């Protein structure tokens, strides 16, 4: 007999006049939803994008993408969400200048890029083959623009360790704003960002606790962002050049994790501590991996239920749906014959609440089949391997070794988060940025990055980059 799900209470009081009817798990709008404040914000981001030097363009773009509720959109027959508009603006800016190294991407078109492109294109084709409808094709074209456009935009803009620090600092700023909004949400039960539209105004509650979500579409997504920013803040502290931002980021991200009242972000946050504590055992990681595999195989033998039902015993927030997540994985594995080729559009009929793909790995398989699933796992493995190899090449430089270890910690926390949520709002651009960070941060250690990408010189008076001299006056490196 199915275990009863946690009791959810969604308050249905009137929302903002700009609210297009977005529910907790997404939705759509037949009209444009652009608050005047958002329009002004887009204008500021666009101006800065074209005025700032190339290396600083990532700052306004990320702030605009992450701080705007993802429901804000311009409907021209096709939804141009704000993040989609800003991705196009970013590419327009890139076409106006070339990187100093001459290479559009650091290290060229690397294995990670090839795997990502395979993942994106196969998933695009798979969903189209599932539905064979023009509406599905248009939606997938937009999704392809988001993922391919967003990822390769970040790959071109995040080129070295300095750019990585710039991105992490932006993340900490977003965490500060989000934490402030979520604290206000806990106090009043109303999300001030809901006044803009495209996101709920009245906070969701569960078992009497407010589930703050800030600028994100769901509380778990908000907390998951905090869980990722926390290890990034540790990386920023260890780097040594922005310790104040690191401290503020660590505090703000922790507030986000616990204000969302969800177990998944707490698991990712705790995973950071586990990974950091494993630092003394860094030379025995292969042994640790083997022991972990043997332990899981042993549990699979002695447990009456599959090992993923261990998730049912995890509850850090009270009333968590760990059992539902375990059941989702169980159903996913039992129906592999239905989804392995091109995914399945019938997953919602496999059991109660199975429409909720609250697991990124499950979502990849059900939406696109085994190829996108394998590619998604391969991207994670490539990033772990890059961080590990860079750490080994750091020699006796303990500080560099720590930086690459913390980079691996970020991915470890991300994997834990993916076990309990799938990214469906602006959070997906956080994932694309994380992927782009790994080659930028590790190429130098592997001797693959061009020397001029390590330290960018000040612009010359005759620079072809528009507005570079103007921007350098208030945006130092």
């Amino acid at each position: 007999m199915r275990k009863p799900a946690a009791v959810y209470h969604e308050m249905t009081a009137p929302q903002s006049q700009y609210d297009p009817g977005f529910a907790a798990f997404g939705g759509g709008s037949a009209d444009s939803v652009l608050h005047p404040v958002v329009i002004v914000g887009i204008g500021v981001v666009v101006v800065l994008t074209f005025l700032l030097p190339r290396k600083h363009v990532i700052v306004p773009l990320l702030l605009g993408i992450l701080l705007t509720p993802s429901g804000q959109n311009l409907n021209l027959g096709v939804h141009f969400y704000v993040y989609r508009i800003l991705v196009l603006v970013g590419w327009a800016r890139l076409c106006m200048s070339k990187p100093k190294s001459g290479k559009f991407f650091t290290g060229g078109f690397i294995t990670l890029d090839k795997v990502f492109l395979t993942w994106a294109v196969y998933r695009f084709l798979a969903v189209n083959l599932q539905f064979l409808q023009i509406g599905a094709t248009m939606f997938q074209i937009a999704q392809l623009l988001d993922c391919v456009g967003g990822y390769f935009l970040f790959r071109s803009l995040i080129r070295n360790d300095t750019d990585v620090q710039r991105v992490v600092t932006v993340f900490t700023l977003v965490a500060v704003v989000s934490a402030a909004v979520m604290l206000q949400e806990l106090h009043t039960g109303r999300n001030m960002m809901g006044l803009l539209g495209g996101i709920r105004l009245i906070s969701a509650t569960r078992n009497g606790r407010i589930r703050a979500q800030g600028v994100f579409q769901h509380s778990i997504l908000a907390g998951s962002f905090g869980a990722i920013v926390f290890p990034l803040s540790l990386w920023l502290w260890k780097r040594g050049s922005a310790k104040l931002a690191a401290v503020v980021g660590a505090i703000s991200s922790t507030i986000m994790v616990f204000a969302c009242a969800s177990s998944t972000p707490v698991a990712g946050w705790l995973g950071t501590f586990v990974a950091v504590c494993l630092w003394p055992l860094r030379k025995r990681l292969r042994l640790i991996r083997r022991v972990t595999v043997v332990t899981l195989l042993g549990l699979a033998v002695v447990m009456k239920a599959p090992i993923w039902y261990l998730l049912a015993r995890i509850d850090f927030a009270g009333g968590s749906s760990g059992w539902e997540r375990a059941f989702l994985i169980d159903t996913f594995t039992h129906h592999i014959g239905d989804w392995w080729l091109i995914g399945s559009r019938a997953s919602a009929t496999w059991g109660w609440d199975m429409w909720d793909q609250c697991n990124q790995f499950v979502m990849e398989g059900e939406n696109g089949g085994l190829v996108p699933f394998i590619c998604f796992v391969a991207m994670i493995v490539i990033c772990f391997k890059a961080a590990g190899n860079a750490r080994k090449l750091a020699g006796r430089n303990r500080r560099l070794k720590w930086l690459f270890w913390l980079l691996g910690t970020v991915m470890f926390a991300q994997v834990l988060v993916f076990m309990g949520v799938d990214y469906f709002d602006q959070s997906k651009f956080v994932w694309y940025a994380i992927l782009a960070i790994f080659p930028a941060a590790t190429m130098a250690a592997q001797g693959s990055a061009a020397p001029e990408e390590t330290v960018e010189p000040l612009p010359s008076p005759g620079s072809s980059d528009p507005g570079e001299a103007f921007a350098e006056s208030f945006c130092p490196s």
Side-chain angles (χ1 to χ4, degrees):
M1 184 175 180
R2 244 185 101 79
K3 178 181 177 181
V7 178
Y8 290 84
H9 173 60
E10 305 293 345
M11 302 179 70
T12 57
Q15 307 287 289
S16 163
Q17 60 176 326
Y18 296 99
D19 194 331
F22 274 75
F25 296 98
S29 170
D31 302 312
S32 296
V33 182
L34 279 176
H35 192 281
V37 172
V38 174
I39 295 176
V40 172
I42 294 174
V44 172
V45 170
V46 172
V47 170
L48 290 176
T49 299
F50 285 96
L51 285 181
L52 291 175
R54 195 180 196 278
K55 61 186 176 183
H56 292 299
V57 166
I58 190 72
V59 175
L61 287 177
L62 271 179
L63 287 175
I65 289 172
L66 297 181
L67 289 178
T68 304
S70 64
Q72 295 282 318
N73 73 92
L74 177 64
N75 190 346
L76 299 176
V78 177
H79 288 84
F80 283 90
Y81 292 97
V82 170
Y83 54 72
R84 197 165 292 155
I85 294 172
L86 295 182
V87 167
L88 293 174
V89 169
W91 274 104
R93 173 63 178 83
L94 288 186
C95 292
M96 296 177 60
S97 62
K98 294 190 298 184
K100 292 179 174 63
S101 67
K103 292 183 178 180
F104 205 72
F105 305 125
T106 299
F109 194 65
I110 59 177
T111 302
L112 180 63
D113 302 332
K114 297 173 184 176
V115 174
F116 185 94
L117 194 59
T118 302
W119 165 79
V121 172
Y122 192 98
R123 196 171 64 160
F124 168 80
L125 296 174
V127 176
N128 276 287
L129 289 173
Q130 288 180 48
F131 288 89
L132 297 176
Q133 297 174 359
I134 187 62
T137 300
M138 294 301 294
F139 179 75
Q140 288 305 311
I141 290 175
Q143 294 295 306
L144 196 64
L145 171 62
D146 292 345
C147 62
V148 175
Y151 169 75
F152 285 106
L153 174 66
F154 294 154
R155 275 281 286 125
S156 183
L157 292 176
I158 306 173
R159 310 186 64 80
N160 51 54
D161 189 67
T162 303
D163 292 334
V164 173
Q165 177 185 330
R166 195 172 287 122
V167 170
V168 175
T169 304
V170 171
F171 282 170
T172 62
L173 179 57
V174 173
V176 170
V177 175
S178 299
V181 173
M182 293 171 77
L183 286 175
Q184 178 270 341
E185 197 174 347
L186 291 178
H187 180 66
T188 64
R190 295 166 67 88
N191 185 353
M192 68 172 66
M193 300 302 292
L195 296 172
L196 300 177
I199 195 172
R200 66 169 63 247
L201 175 62
I202 306 300
S203 304
T205 62
R206 181 171 67 181
N207 292 345
R209 291 186 62 187
I210 292 176
R211 309 185 73 192
Q213 65 186 81
V215 298
F216 297 89
Q217 284 290 319
H218 195 276
S219 57
I220 299 181
L221 294 170
S224 297
F225 176 74
I228 302 308
V229 173
F230 183 69
L232 284 172
S233 298
L234 300 184
W235 180 91
L236 196 60
W237 171 272
K238 195 65 180 177
R239 195 173 187 273
S241 55
K243 289 197 172 185
L244 178 60
V247 171
V248 174
I251 294 173
S252 300
S253 60
T254 300
I255 291 174
M256 293 182 69
V257 167
F258 290 94
C260 73
S262 302
S263 291
T264 295
V266 178
W269 185 80
L270 291 174
T272 297
F273 289 97
V274 172
V276 169
C277 290
L278 287 175
W279 166 256
L281 302 176
R282 60 193 179 280
K283 296 181 179 180
R284 296 178 175 84
L285 284 182
R286 181 173 298 180
L287 176 62
I288 292 174
R289 288 194 294 266
R290 291 175 177 176
V291 170
T292 301
V293 171
V294 172
T295 301
L296 291 176
L297 290 175
L299 287 173
V301 172
V302 301
M303 287 177 60
K304 295 181 179 179
I307 55 175
W308 42 80
Y309 274 94
L310 291 172
L311 293 173
R313 299 181 178 276
I314 299 176
D315 186 358
F316 297 122
S320 295
S321 52
W323 193 92
E324 282 74 14
R325 282 165 169 73
F327 184 66
L328 175 67
I329 298 174
D330 198 49
T331 304
F332 176 68
T333 57
H334 279 102
H335 285 268
I336 188 172
D338 297 322
W339 60 260
W340 73 272
L341 184 58
I342 57 171
S344 174
R345 57 187 293 186
S347 59
T349 66
W350 294 346
W352 186 86
D353 212 25
M354 290 298 98
W355 63 272
D356 184 9
Q357 298 169 320
C358 51
N359 182 307
Q360 190 72 34
F361 298 98
V362 170
M363 191 272 284
E364 297 298 340
E366 290 185 356
N367 284 12
L370 200 57
V371 171
F373 177 85
I374 293 174
C375 287
F376 185 75
V377 174
M379 286 187 280
I380 294 173
V381 173
I382 289 171
C383 289
F384 273 127
K385 187 175 181 179
N389 289 339
R391 181 178 60 83
K392 294 175 182 177
L393 291 173
R396 297 182 179 180
N397 191 325
R398 187 179 179 86
R399 174 179 164 276
L400 269 183
K401 284 179 175 289
W402 257 112
L403 287 175
F404 293 128
W405 183 268
L406 290 172
L407 205 59
T409 299
V410 173
M411 186 56 69
F412 180 65
Q414 183 69 82
V415 170
L416 293 178
V417 164
F418 278 154
M419 293 299 294
V421 71
D422 62 295
Y423 285 173
F424 57 84
D425 64 354
Q426 66 264 44
S427 300
K428 57 189 177 183
F429 290 95
V430 177
W431 170 236
Y432 304 150
I434 294 296
L435 288 176
I437 279 174
F438 272 81
T442 60
M443 281 292 181
Q446 298 174 21
S448 302
E452 59 267 31
E453 292 179 351
T454 303
V455 179
E456 296 183 354
L458 292 174
S460 60
S463 172
S464 62
D465 206 350
E468 191 157 354
F470 160 78
E472 279 295 340
S473 62
F474 60 88
C475 283
S477 296

